Structures are given as C-alpha cells and as structure tokens.
Amino acid sequence: MELLLLSNGKTTEHPGLLGWARDRVQTLLARKQVKRILLIPYAVIRSDWDARAQDLTESLGVETISIHQFDDPVAAIHQADAIFISGGNTWRLNQLLHEYGLVVPIQRAVRERGVPYVGWSAGCNVATPSIRTTNDMPVCSAAVLPALGLFPLQINPHYLDASISGHMGETRDERLAEFCAINPSEFVVALREASLLQISGETVEYWSVRGEGFKIFKHGEAIQEHEDATPLAALTPFIPKI
C-alpha cells in the first residue's frame, strides 16, 4: 500500500500545488510508473475542478484528469494509475464519495492493486477511519459516515499549537482533547503545515519540509511531540503490506 498524506497543498515559500512536497510525490509516481493521475476534487466548492487538475499537471509534470470527466466514476477508479484527493471541505468530500459509491472501489484499488493514494487536507482526512477530526464546518447535511480507513489513526491536518491573540474560543489542543475524551481508545496525529506521512507497505515515515515535528494526542496521556515516525510504526502494526 502506497499513501502520501499531506497536511496541506500549498505553502507561501514553495510555488505550485504540492510544490513543497513535489520531489516526494514525483519519486512515488516514477517508482509506480504512473502515466496519468486521477483527481477527485469533490472537496473543492468555490473553484473549478478542471483548473485544479491543470494545476497538478503543471506542478508535477504528469497528466491529471478530474473524475467528473468520466461517465462512470467507479470505472474511473478501476482504471486509475494513481488516485489524488484534493483539499477543500471534508464533509462535502466524504458525502460525495459515499453517494457515488467510491469508498469500496478506492479501498480495493489502494489495498489490492497497490494504486498510489495522495491526499492533502480534506484528502488526508478521508484516508483515516472517520472525518471527526477535520477542522471544516459541516456545510452540507451529511451524516458522520465512515471514511476510507486506509490509515488506521485519526489525523488533524493544518494543526496549529499557537494561541491566537484575541481569540476566546477553544485552542486546537483543547478541541483535540475533547475528541480524545469522548473517544478514549483513539489516537490523533496532529500534522503541522508542510508536513506529511508516507506509508509504503509496512513502513511509516514522517517528513516536514520546515523541519518541524508532529504531535500525538491520547486521552489520559501527556501530549507527545515527535520528530520521526517511530511511535506511529508501533501504533500501526496492522497496516497491510501490498
């Protein structure tokens, strides 16, 4: 199984969509001999889906086509060389994955055929068991349905541990602590901007272009800061090797 789970798609200091992780993405695509990327842009609400596909083509140098161009989206998954899921609104994304019957086809493509999966922001969220740790508003009347479950731990992308001056609401740490209190058996991996998890078979790797670490949240335990994926590997021994 090949996963690249990125906190975000763009940074101010690295041009292009996925520009900050371009080398890693391109290396994965070359290793898997990917000729064309299938983009699932359902999380994108206020921008053009074909434009998002063109952004990827220009940034990565690999032809990208949006799934909405296919008459049969399930067949598109069956034929895909690589599946990329864009950021945007996680609630809308997960709703449409279920409505179009794509959850099981994506799971089978990634787990059984070894199709590379690259997801950023919302696309990272839906790779986990559920979207309950998204930062997004539920803008659509969507139930909290299971997500793809390709990675067995919850992730919180765009993680910020800063306390914003003048903001009187809960901090991100407090919100994640609330999740863990309600779900005491679960772990949450907090990914800062410009960082990613890469899963290849049974190997789990963490990388940050800015040299920052990630955090692990668990109810009843101190928040842990880590610089590499060693603890994640210990927590995810059941990731299948394809």
Side-chain angles (χ1 to χ4, degrees):
M1 183 162 60
E2 302 283 352
L3 308 176
L4 268 177
L5 307 179
L6 302 87
S7 179
N8 54 295
K10 292 184 178 181
T11 61
T12 55
E13 65 269 38
H14 301 90
L17 185 56
L18 306 186
W20 64 270
R22 184 179 292 112
D23 288 347
R24 286 196 170 236
V25 177
Q26 289 177 328
T27 297
L28 173 61
L29 296 179
R31 177 162 56 85
K32 299 297 287 186
Q33 299 182 329
V34 172
K35 303 301 182 184
R36 187 169 73 172
I37 294 166
L38 177 67
L39 173 67
I40 300 178
Y42 298 150
V44 178
I45 295 176
R46 295 181 297 115
S47 299
D48 182 79
W49 290 354
D50 288 321
R52 182 62 54 94
Q54 183 61 30
D55 287 345
L56 270 182
T57 298
E58 294 175 356
S59 182
L60 301 178
V62 178
E63 180 189 3
T64 304
I65 186 167
S66 172
I67 195 169
H68 80 279
Q69 294 290 350
F70 294 84
D71 294 332
D72 184 345
V74 173
I77 297 295
H78 291 330
Q79 300 164 13
D81 294 331
I83 297 170
F84 281 47
I85 300 191
S86 173
N89 187 276
T90 312
W91 290 86
R92 182 61 171 165
L93 169 60
N94 202 49
Q95 179 189 42
L96 292 182
L97 289 178
H98 281 274
E99 287 187 4
Y100 292 137
L102 299 181
V103 172
V104 172
I106 293 173
Q107 290 171 335
R108 296 191 67 176
V110 175
R111 290 173 176 162
E112 298 176 12
R113 292 200 291 121
V115 173
Y117 177 102
V118 179
W120 60 98
S121 188
C124 175
N125 268 131
V126 295
T128 71
S130 79
I131 65 170
R132 292 168 296 155
T133 49
T134 180
N135 306 309
D136 299 335
M137 288 185 178
V139 297
C140 50
S141 298
V144 186
L145 297 168
L148 296 171
L150 301 172
F151 186 72
L153 306 179
Q154 291 294 132
I155 294 177
N156 179 240
H158 303 290
Y159 171 73
L160 291 173
D161 46 9
S163 180
I164 302 173
S165 176
H167 175 65
M168 303 307 295
E170 285 78 5
T171 65
R172 187 71 58 81
D173 282 14
E174 290 170 332
R175 289 300 191 198
L176 294 177
E178 290 175 345
F179 172 86
C180 292
I182 297 296
N183 304 278
S185 65
E186 298 194 52
F187 294 84
V188 181
V189 182
L191 292 181
R192 294 184 174 91
E193 301 289 51
S195 64
L196 60 80
L197 294 175
Q198 183 162 6
I199 297 89
S200 181
E202 295 177 339
T203 301
V204 183
E205 183 181 0
Y206 170 78
W207 179 73
S208 165
V209 74
R210 296 172 177 169
E212 298 177 325
F214 65 95
K215 288 184 177 180
I216 297 179
F217 289 76
K218 177 73 164 62
H219 183 63
E221 298 181 9
I223 301 172
Q224 305 171 45
E225 176 92 25
H226 299 279
E227 299 296 329
D228 63 63
T230 301
L232 292 179
L235 293 172
T236 58
F238 46 92
I239 295 176
K241 184 175 182 179
I242 300 297

